[in-house]
Amino acid sequence: MGLTGVTLLVTLMVVAAVTLPANACLPADQAALMDIKAALKEPYLGIFNTWTGSNCCQGWYGVSCDPTTQRVADIVLRGESEDPIYEKAGRSGYMTGSLSPSLCKLDKLTTLIVADWKDISGEIPACVTSLPDLRILELIGNKITGQIPENIGQLSKLTVLNLADNKICGSIPASIVNLGKLKHLELSNNQLTGEIPSDIGKLGMMSRALLNKNKLTGSIPNSITQLRRLADLDLSMNQITGSLPAQLGSMPVLSTLNLDSNQISSSIPTNLLSNSGLNILNLSRNSLEGELPDVFCSKTYFTHLDLSYNNLRGSVPKSLSSAKYIGHLDLSHNHLCGPIPNGSPFDHLEASSFSNNDCLCGSPLRTC
């Protein structure tokens, strides 16, 4: 290379250094962020006032970049936070507007959290499913409408999907079962309809599934019992029918199960009440039938056991008195009959725990 060539190369390197300073984000990423800013209005805290200057990797509230590539990696904007900016303002966050499709141009994004701003509306941009590195998608606590993107299952690295407390409608996309790394699924308090995907058991990494307060129909898929890591399942306040899967009580780490306020009509599987790892069980306000299995033992530990407002018959199981701990127990509004056993946990329960049955008697109710 001649002197002229070396001079030209050095000149180009100098120009590049001036054009794109070290630790500066890409102009394309910055342009996408400016589009996101333009689509949202935050009148009280002034967080978008920090989105100025030529380097979005430094000092832009809620924006983080990969230190190696200087590409935007995380957007974390929470309307409820302990950040000093909220303490100084003396209020929680409030934001209007919508999510700009330009966020999909941030193709190295791993985290997108725009949560608890109360009044962000519009739909989830469908192109969000094209973000190959997205691991966390959290849009809880807004007024987002429309449907969950049909191709949500393309987000192969997604571990958290939280769309709770919005106005999202439509059905749960069938492709959601392709999210093989998903651990937390929270879709509660929306307007979702249709059935839970029958092959939801494919989500083998999932530890938490909250689908309560929707309009879901159909029965609980049997494949849900294949989720061996699932600890927290909430399907309450839907329109679910059918029976309780027989193996529901055999799930090894299930500790919280809320199925109340549905239309489930079956007997209670024996293993559901004998599961010593289950601490919270709420089956109230269904159409459950049959007798209560007499399967409680010294390993039984329920902080909350609610079977009220069903069609249960027979007597109160005597083995309940051998339980290690029963915190809250509600058997009211059934068709139970006979004496209430003596001793713990019955000696600390109120009469309301047994009221409105056919012919229960004994403390704390009337004498037999």
Side-chain angles (χ1 to χ4, degrees):
M1 182 182 293
L3 182 60
T4 303
V6 172
T7 304
L8 178 60
L9 179 59
V10 171
T11 302
L12 289 174
M13 292 174 65
V14 170
V15 170
V18 172
T19 303
L20 189 61
N23 301 322
C25 67
L26 263 61
D29 283 3
Q30 184 157 328
L33 289 171
M34 294 307 291
D35 288 345
I36 294 171
K37 173 182 177 180
L40 296 169
K41 305 298 179 186
E42 190 282 297
Y44 300 114
L45 303 175
I47 63 172
F48 288 132
N49 293 340
T50 66
W51 287 30
T52 59
S54 59
N55 187 3
C56 63
C57 290
Q58 292 184 354
W60 287 40
Y61 187 90
V63 178
S64 302
C65 297
D66 184 291
T68 303
T69 64
Q70 298 306 307
R71 298 296 307 278
V72 172
D74 305 308
I75 298 177
V76 179
L77 300 174
R78 295 188 182 276
E80 305 283 347
S81 172
E82 296 181 358
D83 191 291
I85 192 173
Y86 297 91
E87 294 182 12
K88 184 178 179 181
R91 60 166 299 136
S92 59
Y94 176 79
M95 198 181 291
T96 59
S98 60
L99 297 175
S100 170
S102 290
L103 64 86
C104 304
K105 297 177 182 178
L106 301 171
D107 58 359
K108 295 299 180 181
L109 203 63
T110 63
T111 301
L112 177 60
I113 298 176
V114 184
D116 296 314
W117 292 100
K118 304 174 183 64
D119 217 11
I120 294 177
S121 57
E123 300 186 5
I124 302 170
C127 61
V128 75
T129 62
S130 67
L131 296 173
D133 297 321
L134 197 63
R135 289 171 169 79
I136 298 175
L137 178 57
E138 188 171 329
L139 306 175
I140 183 176
N142 292 293
K143 290 183 179 178
I144 294 172
T145 56
Q147 301 186 17
I148 301 172
E150 183 179 357
N151 296 323
I152 194 75
Q154 292 180 357
L155 297 174
S156 60
K157 296 182 180 180
L158 201 67
T159 61
V160 175
L161 177 60
N162 188 348
L163 308 177
D165 301 333
N166 280 288
K167 296 184 177 182
I168 297 171
C169 62
S171 60
I172 300 174
S175 72
I176 204 168
V177 302
N178 297 325
L179 299 175
K181 295 185 178 181
L182 192 68
K183 296 180 179 179
H184 293 176
L185 175 63
E186 301 189 26
L187 306 177
S188 58
N189 197 23
N190 278 288
Q191 299 170 11
L192 295 172
T193 56
E195 299 186 6
I196 300 169
S198 60
D199 49 354
I200 194 172
K202 290 182 178 179
L203 298 175
M205 297 297 292
M206 191 158 62
S207 62
R208 191 179 196 193
L210 308 182
L211 310 181
N212 53 300
K213 295 183 180 180
N214 281 288
K215 300 176 182 178
L216 298 174
T217 55
S219 59
I220 301 172
N222 285 320
S223 71
I224 210 165
T225 63
Q226 299 169 13
L227 299 176
R228 313 303 285 177
R229 298 172 185 260
L230 192 65
D232 189 353
L233 176 61
D234 194 340
L235 305 178
S236 63
M237 301 180 73
N238 279 288
Q239 299 169 20
I240 294 172
T241 55
S243 60
L244 295 172
Q247 297 305 311
L248 202 56
S250 300
M251 299 172 71
V253 297
L254 188 66
S255 61
T256 299
L257 178 60
N258 290 312
L259 302 178
D260 54 287
S261 302
N262 281 290
Q263 301 166 27
I264 301 169
S265 56
S266 70
S267 59
I268 300 176
T270 298
N271 58 11
L272 196 56
L273 295 179
S274 62
N275 185 339
S276 59
L278 195 58
N279 303 135
I280 296 175
L281 176 61
N282 192 342
L283 303 179
S284 66
R285 299 180 185 276
N286 279 285
S287 299
L288 297 174
E289 301 172 336
E291 298 188 359
L292 277 175
D294 197 1
V295 292
F296 300 94
C297 64
S298 60
K299 294 183 179 180
T300 301
Y301 193 102
F302 281 108
T303 58
H304 186 98
L305 177 58
D306 192 344
L307 307 177
S308 63
Y309 290 91
N310 280 291
N311 296 316
L312 299 172
R313 298 181 180 277
S315 59
V316 177
K318 293 181 179 179
S319 61
L320 261 172
S321 59
S322 66
K324 182 176 182 180
Y325 179 76
I326 303 286
H328 173 82
L329 174 67
D330 194 344
L331 301 178
S332 66
H333 297 271
N334 279 288
H335 300 292
L336 300 174
C337 199
I340 297 172
N342 295 320
S344 179
F346 305 103
D347 52 8
H348 73 263
L349 296 173
E350 300 291 333
S352 58
S353 297
F354 305 97
S355 64
N356 293 95
N357 276 284
D358 286 357
C359 54
L360 280 180
C361 61
S363 178
L365 295 179
R366 64 188 183 278
T367 304
C368 292

